[in-house]
Structures are given as C-alpha cells and as structure tokens.
Amino acid sequence: MNTKDLSNKKVWTSRPTKNDPEAVKKVGRIHAFVFHPSKAQLVGFLVKRPDVALMFRREDMFVAHDGFDLMQDDSGHQVIVVREDPAAQGRGATKALGLNLDKCVLWIGLPAMTPSGQSLGLVESVEFDQQTGRVTSMEVSQGATANTLLGRRNIPGSMMLGFRRGMGAKLYLTDDDDEDPDSLGAVIVDEAAFDLPVEGGVAEKAGAATAVATDKAKKTCKKVSQKVKPKAQEASKVAGEAVQKGVYATGRQIARSKGMFGNFKDEFKKAMKGDDDERQA
C-alpha cells in the first residue's frame, strides 16, 4: 500500500445491529501517517473526526497498520473499514504495538538524508507492507516548485535506516536561541541512495533535448540522457539544501495542541509555501 493512495480516504467502523449485522458508521478521513520512533516502519494512521457542533475539536483516532480492510461503498469508491478488534484502534492498538504515540514520527514532509548529512529532498509518499508495516519504498521530492524542475527519487526499502534526531529539519520550536539537537530530525537512508537517478523532471528532459540539438548527428537521445542525469542529480542536491524548512513532525510538539497530531498537515502546507518563514520573521 502507498500513503499517497490512502491519504484523505473515508474511514468507517463496524456498527452491527440485530437487523443489520453488516452496518457501518463513518468516522472521518485519514489525514496523517504515523511511523516508528526509530525503525523504517509505518505503525498506523490518524483519522480526523468531525468537530462536535462544528465548534469543539475531537481528538484524532489512531488506527493500526493492520487494523483495517479496504472495501467499496455503494458508489463504488474505495473506503477503509476498521476491523472489530480491540487491537485495531485507539489505546488497544498502541498497547498491542508496544508504542507511545507521542514518541512516534510523521515522516511525510521530513527531509531524507544520508548519515553523512547529504540531503535528497523531502519525503512525499511511502509504500509499505500492511501486515508488518515495513517500509518497502519511499518517494522523495524537492518541494512543490523544484518538483517541476528536478523530478523525484524513489528509494527502495533496503536503503532505509529509519528516523534519527540531531540532524535535518526542526521538529518543534525551542524556547531559546540555543540549538537543541533533539529538536532536529530526518529520515535516514543509505549513502548509496544519493546515486539513485532523479526521474520525471523538466530539467532532465530540457537538458537532454538541448544536448541532442547540439550534437544530434553523433549521439542518440538515449545516450545523451544518461549524461544529463548526473547534472540533474547535482542540481537536485543544491535545491534540496535550499528548500529545507522547519516542519512540525513529532508527537512531542503536536501533543501540546488540542488534538494529538492535529495541526501537522496545515503546518506542513504553510512551511512548503513559505508562510512559516514570514510568520517567524
């Protein structure tokens, strides 16, 4: 499964009755994906529930990675139905998984970096095994603007090293000007990930076209593209360093708000658009 496909999907829970044993009730929509504090593992997702009387915020509902099934509603749209199992959601799920949610991490929007500190961009989506939660691959981009210029990298799960503090983006605000190493975090991947090709970018295509026009009598488009890709990768590195922004991503910061993890999505969107920098200026 991929977080990109599940994001914002409707979530239902079973509400069997005597007359309708297959009855379900809508809970809300998926709005964030939760990962293990250190391992490359998705532990579940958060469901945003409707506010009470359109005024009072309700806490998000946590659903375990293996606590749901994909089904179709009456309109043929794919929906998520939480299983009738105490370990599928809420405290029962966190207990079964042996987790403290406030120590877990929201990978989407965090920088992907190598142990030596090279930045590959921001985590855009994650593919995972539903039964185990193990990350099988991760798509990394340079942000909304650079996506158009440089494309994306797809990093296989074999290169995932998990989450690490002390480097990367701001996870929460500190009360003073001193840099707190624990306030920084990034998704760490193997050094070899930096050599993976950047696919789908306009810069790569434009560079290939220019090279072909210059020397079209001697070389084919395929050969030129192979020479252009390293340049695109170099440009990707520069852009990645330029676009890193503070992103609130861990339970420690978001647990201070009214709902656990409640404001992450809005903060991430603002950070990507530059609003966060303007507010802090």
Side-chain angles (χ1 to χ4, degrees), residues 61-165:
M61 182 177 82
F62 174 75
V63 178
H65 64 81
D66 58 351
F68 68 93
D69 295 300
L70 285 175
M71 299 184 179
Q72 286 189 339
D73 60 17
D74 295 337
S75 302
H77 297 114
Q78 201 173 53
V79 298
I80 288 174
V81 178
V82 181
R83 293 174 183 167
E84 291 185 75
D85 183 346
Q89 62 171 290
R91 293 183 179 179
T94 56
K95 183 178 180 180
L97 292 169
L99 293 172
N100 178 350
L101 278 186
D102 287 344
K103 292 184 178 180
C104 292
V105 187
L106 308 184
W107 278 20
I108 309 300
L110 281 181
M113 303 180 71
T114 64
S116 64
Q118 294 185 101
S119 174
L120 284 79
L122 304 179
V123 179
E124 186 168 295
S125 66
V126 174
E127 186 179 81
F128 64 97
D129 182 301
Q130 185 189 359
Q131 297 303 314
T132 64
R134 181 178 60 86
V135 174
T136 55
S137 68
M138 179 174 71
E139 189 174 66
V140 176
S141 73
Q142 299 290 348
T145 301
N147 270 349
T148 306
L149 299 175
L150 301 171
R152 299 172 172 86
R153 278 188 180 90
N154 195 281
I155 303 174
S158 59
M159 292 187 177
M160 301 293 170
L161 303 180
F163 175 77
R164 181 183 297 179
R165 290 181 180 273

Side-chain angles (χ1 to χ4, degrees), residues 90-266:
R91 293 183 179 179
T94 56
K95 183 178 180 180
L97 292 169
L99 293 172
N100 178 350
L101 278 186
D102 287 344
K103 292 184 178 180
C104 292
V105 187
L106 308 184
W107 278 20
I108 309 300
L110 281 181
M113 303 180 71
T114 64
S116 64
Q118 294 185 101
S119 174
L120 284 79
L122 304 179
V123 179
E124 186 168 295
S125 66
V126 174
E127 186 179 81
F128 64 97
D129 182 301
Q130 185 189 359
Q131 297 303 314
T132 64
R134 181 178 60 86
V135 174
T136 55
S137 68
M138 179 174 71
E139 189 174 66
V140 176
S141 73
Q142 299 290 348
T145 301
N147 270 349
T148 306
L149 299 175
L150 301 171
R152 299 172 172 86
R153 278 188 180 90
N154 195 281
I155 303 174
S158 59
M159 292 187 177
M160 301 293 170
L161 303 180
F163 175 77
R164 181 183 297 179
R165 290 181 180 273
M167 59 192 299
K170 275 277 191 179
L171 301 175
Y172 55 87
L173 294 178
T174 52
D175 297 329
D176 50 44
D177 294 332
D178 295 334
E179 191 66 75
D180 177 8
D182 283 344
S183 70
L184 300 176
V187 179
I188 306 301
V189 298
D190 191 273
E191 295 285 348
F194 195 75
D195 296 325
L196 292 173
V198 179
E199 304 290 348
V202 172
E204 177 184 335
K205 295 177 182 178
T210 301
V212 169
T214 303
D215 199 14
K216 60 182 180 181
K218 296 181 179 179
K219 298 178 181 179
T220 65
C221 180
K222 180 178 179 180
K223 291 180 179 178
V224 174
S225 295
Q226 292 174 347
K227 290 193 174 184
V228 170
K229 283 187 178 182
K231 296 297 182 181
Q233 291 174 6
E234 182 179 350
S236 176
K237 176 184 177 182
V238 175
E241 295 171 350
V243 301
Q244 280 192 26
K245 297 178 180 292
V247 179
Y248 303 96
T250 63
R252 176 177 175 183
Q253 168 64 19
I254 303 172
R256 298 173 185 171
S257 65
K258 294 181 180 179
M260 180 175 55
F261 296 102
N263 295 323
F264 171 77
K265 191 172 183 179
D266 292 339

